[in-house]
Amino acid sequence: MSKDTIRTTCPRDCYDACGMTVLVRDGAVRKVIGDRIHHVSRGALCGKCALAYNGAFIDPEQRLTTPLRRSGPKGKAVFEAISWEEALADIAARLKAIVSTRDARSILHTHYTGTVSMLAGWFPMRFFNRLGATEVDPDTVCNKAGHVVLADMFGTSLTGFDPDQLPNARTLLIWGANPSHSAPHLHEHWVRSSKARVIVVDPIAHETARTADMHLQLRPGSDAALAFGLLHVIKRSGLIDRSFIARHVEGFDAVEPAIDAASPQVTEALTGVPADLIVEAGRQFASGPALLWLGQGVQRQPRGGNAFRAAVLLSIATGHLGSPGHGFCYMNGPETRGVDITFLMAPELRRDGGSSISHIDLADALGDPERSAALFTWNNNILASSPSQSKLRAALAREDLFTVVSDLFMTDTAAYADYVLPAASFLEFDDLVLPYFHDTISAQARATAPLGQSLPNQDIFRKLAAAMGFSEPALYESDASMLQQLLAQTRFKGSFEDLKVLGTVGFGATGRVQFENLTFATPSGKIEVSSSRLKAEGHPEAPIPHADAPPAGGLLRVLSPASAWLMNSSYGNDARILRQLSEPQVYLNARELASRGIKDGDPVLLKNGTGALQLTATVSADVPDGVALVYKGRWPRTAGDAANVNVLNPGLRTDIADSSAVHGVTAELVAL
Ligand SMILES: Nc1nc2c(c(=O)[nH]1)N[C@H]1C(S)=C(S)[C@@H](COP(=O)(O)OP(=O)(O)OC[C@H]3O[C@@H](n4cnc5c(=O)[nH]c(N)nc54)[C@H](O)[C@@H]3O)O[C@H]1N2
Ligand SMILES: Nc1nc2c(c(=O)[nH]1)N[C@H]1C(S)=C(S)[C@@H](COP(=O)(O)OP(=O)(O)OC[C@H]3O[C@@H](n4cnc5c(=O)[nH]c(N)nc54)[C@H](O)[C@@H]3O)O[C@H]1N2
Ligand code: SF4
Ligand SMILES: [Mo]
């Protein structure tokens, strides 16, 4: 009997990027646990991964282990096992026929962050670039509005504060993120243990909000108004940093009249946040070094772009940028570690400049034979996570939509495929993880062989390139070569083998300062508060103190953020996770339930003009008036009505960037 212990990294789309230890016996994974020396996880995995990595991920009954060809109606998950050779030859023949008789752009591909490891996340792009397929812009289902406005103002959205700056800060303002779910170890070891005063801005009194020093429980979609209210307090207190603005900011004048008008009383009326809390929070933020964590939830609102532009004004107006303990963070991209990942995607293979559509338009595009002949989905479960779920389901049922899905599991989306290609899990191949919060790099190390005939994405797309007869060497580059090139760009001087021993490495104890030189990659070289570019696209030139009107006529705003027990839609098929989740629930406060004659535990229907969802009503004091909370990510087919919360989303768009405004959905609640 041979025993082994492998150190590796969790590659889920999670701020934490935990280090973990895999116990392997006789070549098989016996146990996955947290790595004691990892700076974030400190020996513990989150509850969901502790279950799923020791459950569905290593269960041959749950995993896809061979390529499959459809042998029943679409959506019924009736398949026959076939060889890789046969599957790839069939797929290549179909794709070639589409390319020769139509346009390659009628082949759509969707992908996202099912894994955020570098090779499995990005290398397949080489294949699709060479093919000339239409990319469904991945960020449009998640965070594009935030990226576009930050890039417009600062020249980048991908260089945030270094979390190691927290000891230098007096205030940590968490705006529209829920670390207690979406970054559980950061919640425990970073937020809760910090000496800084913690302020949370969120409609929901989630655990991070409840344990913070201050919780500004605003109405959904009223963030910009709240930001202007805080700026009013800061201005009135003489705490606007005029010399910082004079040197480093363009167009601040454009927001001054709205700041002057946004008194605490006006702001309370627009946001529901008590005036005295607005005063206290504004003064606290301006009182010294402050970090602003811009969550992804806040920009998933119909005016999410404007909300982001307004919230980040706090760091600008106070001059809380460019020195220790200061800064904001949306996320930290590979460039914060000196890494340019463009080569992984080989955009030069693309001959026609490329085409892309938004996730918001996916269901319509797939429903229209003129626009789509084929769909390839990888690292993404669209039928659980994309908007317009019923329309999307109808489109996926199109007999003439040639559909290929690569996944680890038979998801609702895979059930509609003509061919399903089994992907290996992160426990089964080497890769690199560049966390999107901490400035570190981590090894994802192979602990065991791919289950059954499953293959890492890289192998799948190398083989498919060969089946297509493509000759470009970039399509066949080895994993080892790409890992070596990635590492060579970083300040880590060892090899991948060296990194495997260490698990995760950082780059020095002092901590990077965001925008240390106070130079910005904008046309003016300064922070641009007013934007002629956005104005030319029809948006307000500068942020405005907008607040959505609360829904009228008994309608509820449906918020559907991250669940503690699911990772997006991942783990929705794990038996022990499903027991933790129990039946699909909608959380409302007792007043909202009582006003509808509904009791805790009653079966209810949440419905609007787009769809209806059966749920169990559950009382929660965390949820404010006018809001229904339904966590995202259930697999539709695990529910009686084969739907999840996205059946209610008509495909709402953010004001900027055609991104998802899923937290703007409204619906009525009725007893069943
Ligand atoms: N209502 C509502 N909907 C939302 C959101 C919301 O807040 N509310 N949030 C949105 C956001 S932020 C996101 S990011 C999306 C995410 O939406 P999803 O696409 O559901 O994301 P994941 O569950 O992370 O991953 C998708 C699939 O990738 C597969 N996968 C994992 N590793 C690999 C691999 O190595 N190879 C292959 N081929 N497949 C792999 C997983 O098994 C999983 O089925 O959902 C969006 N949908
Ligand atoms: N456990 C778990 N962790 C995850 C994920 C998961 O599904 N499960 N998903 C991962 C992914 S892909 C992403 S993108 C991140 C997202 O993680 P976060 O950045 O934390 O974003 P969300 O969970 O979408 O929403 C965060 C908060 O936004 C709030 N919110 C909604 N509307 C508004 C509003 O109008 N104003 C304000 N201020 N707040 C609002 C919600 O109430 C919620 O508490 O999490 C990642 N981590
Ligand atoms: S999902 Fe996040 S918290 Fe859970 S193990 Fe992975 S990195 Fe850690
Ligand atoms: Mo996301």
Side-chain angles (χ1 to χ4, degrees):
M1 187 169 81
S2 75
K3 277 200 212 160
D4 222 342
T5 306
I6 311 282
R7 176 168 284 151
T8 188
T9 306
C10 178
R12 301 282 77 79
D13 188 346
C14 174
Y15 296 89
D16 284 0
C18 295
M20 42 200 191
T21 304
V22 187
L23 310 177
V24 179
R25 195 178 304 146
D26 295 332
V29 171
R30 296 293 163 195
K31 189 90 189 149
V32 183
I33 57 175
D35 181 4
R36 238 172 298 142
I37 67 163
H38 189 261
H39 67 130
V40 177
S41 57
R42 303 189 190 182
L45 295 183
C46 66
K48 59 192 178 300
C49 293
L51 294 182
Y53 292 164
N54 293 295
F57 267 63
I58 55 173
D59 179 359
E61 298 297 312
Q62 289 285 334
R63 286 277 301 278
L64 296 166
T65 53
T66 66
L68 300 170
R69 178 165 54 207
R70 181 164 68 89
S71 55
K74 287 205 172 192
K76 295 290 179 211
V78 183
F79 291 98
E80 57 179 342
I82 55 170
S83 68
W84 274 106
E85 288 66 30
E86 209 179 341
L88 295 169
D90 288 0
I91 294 168
R94 291 290 294 269
L95 295 181
K96 280 188 210 166
I98 294 168
V99 173
S100 62
T101 57
R102 299 184 55 160
D103 188 331
R105 284 175 295 190
S106 67
I107 304 167
L108 271 55
H109 76 107
T110 76
H111 65 106
Y112 207 33
T113 46
T115 175
V116 299
S117 65
M118 290 290 117
L119 305 190
W122 296 112
F123 174 76
M125 288 300 295
R126 291 191 184 179
F127 175 82
F128 290 104
N129 280 331
R130 168 63 184 83
L131 186 64
T134 293
E135 181 185 32
V136 182
D137 184 343
D139 283 347
T140 55
V141 82
C142 173
N143 55 24
K144 180 121 190 205
H147 282 304
V148 168
V149 300
L150 292 179
D152 188 74
M153 290 173 97
F154 297 92
T156 176
S157 60
L158 288 167
T159 302
F161 61 66
D162 177 346
D164 290 344
Q165 288 296 341
L166 186 57
N168 299 321
R170 276 175 68 101
T171 308
L172 170 63
L173 173 51
I174 302 174
W175 198 308
N178 176 10
S180 63
H181 284 185
S182 63
H185 298 94
L186 283 174
H187 163 76
E188 197 59 37
H189 303 303
W190 190 75
V191 178
R192 293 208 56 193
S193 66
S194 100
K195 293 202 187 65
R197 276 175 74 79
V198 178
I199 308 174
V200 170
V201 178
D202 203 298
I204 307 292
H206 48 62
E207 197 187 328
T208 306
R210 289 196 305 271
T211 53
D213 297 292
M214 252 182 270
H215 177 202
L216 311 187
Q217 193 168 15
L218 79 181
R219 286 199 278 271
S222 67
D223 298 82
L226 179 62
F228 276 82
L230 296 169
L231 289 161
H232 178 96
V233 172
I234 292 168
K235 185 169 179 182
R236 214 170 56 184
S237 312
L239 294 170
I240 296 221
D241 187 339
R242 294 288 167 192
S243 90
F244 179 88
I245 290 172
R247 279 176 292 143
H248 305 296
V249 184
E250 284 278 303
F252 194 79
D253 294 355
V255 293
E256 301 248 18
I259 292 175
D260 294 335
S263 68
Q265 292 68 31
V266 167
T267 305
E268 174 172 340
L270 287 170
T271 64
V273 180
D276 56 340
L277 261 189
I278 296 169
V279 172
E280 192 187 340
R283 289 197 183 134
Q284 171 65 35
F285 188 86
S287 71
L291 298 179
L292 170 61
W293 177 351
L294 291 166
Q296 310 195 43
V298 55
Q299 55 87 63
R300 261 174 234 143
Q301 285 290 355
R303 303 291 284 270
N306 180 65
F308 243 50
R309 294 174 85 192
V312 78
L313 281 177
L314 287 174
S315 299
I316 298 169
T318 51
H320 283 351
L321 289 168
S323 47
H326 288 313
F328 65 85
C329 186
Y330 189 30
M331 60 189 66
N332 282 311
E335 51 267 53
T336 54
R337 280 134 287 191
V339 177
D340 183 350
I341 62 167
T342 314
F343 80 96
L344 286 176
M345 294 169 262
E348 68 280 3
L349 294 177
R350 181 100 207 187
R351 291 158 194 188
D352 61 1
S355 61
S356 84
I357 64 165
S358 164
H359 259 277
I360 310 299
D361 298 316
L362 176 65
D364 281 338
L366 290 180
D368 180 355
E370 293 293 310
R371 292 171 70 188
S372 54
L375 169 70
F376 209 125
T377 291
W378 52 286
N379 293 0
N380 193 198
N381 181 1
I382 53 177
L383 209 38
S385 299
S386 294
S388 309
Q389 193 167 84
S390 301
K391 210 195 268 181
L392 187 57
R393 186 183 290 281
L396 289 174
R398 256 180 64 201
E399 265 310 311
D400 59 341
L401 181 74
F402 177 62
T403 304
V404 183
V405 173
S406 173
D407 206 293
L408 279 71
F409 302 106
M410 182 53 70
T411 62
D412 290 82
T413 310
Y416 281 84
D418 294 292
Y419 290 85
V420 179
L421 302 179
S425 93
F426 73 103
L427 298 167
E428 299 157 7
F429 60 98
D430 287 343
D431 210 330
L432 269 177
V433 175
L434 273 55
Y436 58 82
F437 208 59
H438 285 277
D439 281 1
T440 51
I441 55 170
S442 307
Q444 173 187 307
R446 175 183 157 123
T448 186
L451 195 66
Q453 294 178 45
S454 68
L455 290 173
N457 287 354
Q458 304 85 283
D459 285 335
I460 295 175
F461 287 96
R462 280 190 283 256
K463 282 178 184 287
L464 191 55
M468 292 292 291
F470 293 156
S471 58
E472 292 77 359
L475 297 167
Y476 303 98
E477 187 170 3
S478 71
D479 289 7
S481 162
M482 291 183 282
L483 291 175
Q484 195 267 331
Q485 284 177 72
L486 283 166
L487 271 182
Q489 296 183 57
T490 73
R491 281 168 280 154
F492 178 64
K493 290 295 160 245
S495 65
F496 185 73
E497 293 303 311
D498 299 328
L499 185 62
K500 280 204 313 201
V501 175
L502 299 167
T504 292
V505 292
F507 302 106
T510 48
R512 176 180 56 79
V513 171
Q514 182 194 24
F515 302 129
E516 187 159 28
N517 302 322
L518 290 168
T519 52
F520 302 91
T522 53
S524 64
K526 296 184 175 186
I527 300 164
E528 301 196 352
V529 166
S530 44
S531 168
S532 50
R533 293 174 297 281
L534 291 176
K535 189 178 179 200
E537 289 172 19
H539 307 295
E541 182 161 20
I544 56 169
H546 170 84
D548 289 352
L555 285 182
L556 295 158
R557 189 75 163 241
V558 182
L559 301 186
S560 54
S563 153
W565 288 103
L566 296 166
M567 168 46 66
N568 296 320
S569 65
S570 295
Y571 314 160
N573 58 334
D574 183 283
R576 286 183 297 173
I577 296 271
L578 283 166
R579 276 202 293 279
Q580 290 293 337
L581 290 169
S582 73
E583 76 276 13
Q585 292 168 71
V586 54
Y587 299 88
L588 292 103
N589 68 38
R591 290 178 299 280
E592 290 290 1
L593 281 188
S595 72
R596 291 169 175 77
I598 294 169
K599 291 190 301 300
D600 187 47
D602 281 356
V604 290
L605 202 60
L606 202 52
K607 61 174 188 171
N608 61 18
T610 304
L613 189 64
Q614 293 171 32
L615 297 153
T616 299
T618 307
V619 172
S620 168
D622 303 342
V623 184
D625 289 347
V627 171
L629 172 65
V630 184
Y631 291 114
K632 70 168 160 175
R634 295 256 187 179
W635 281 28
R637 72 156 176 268
T638 62
D641 50 359
N644 72 12
V645 66
N646 285 322
V647 81
L648 301 171
N649 184 356
L652 295 182
R653 285 171 214 268
T654 48
D655 46 356
I656 293 171
D658 273 344
S659 194
S660 170
V662 65
H663 294 323
V665 168
T666 55
E668 62 175 312
L669 187 78
V670 294
L672 253 187

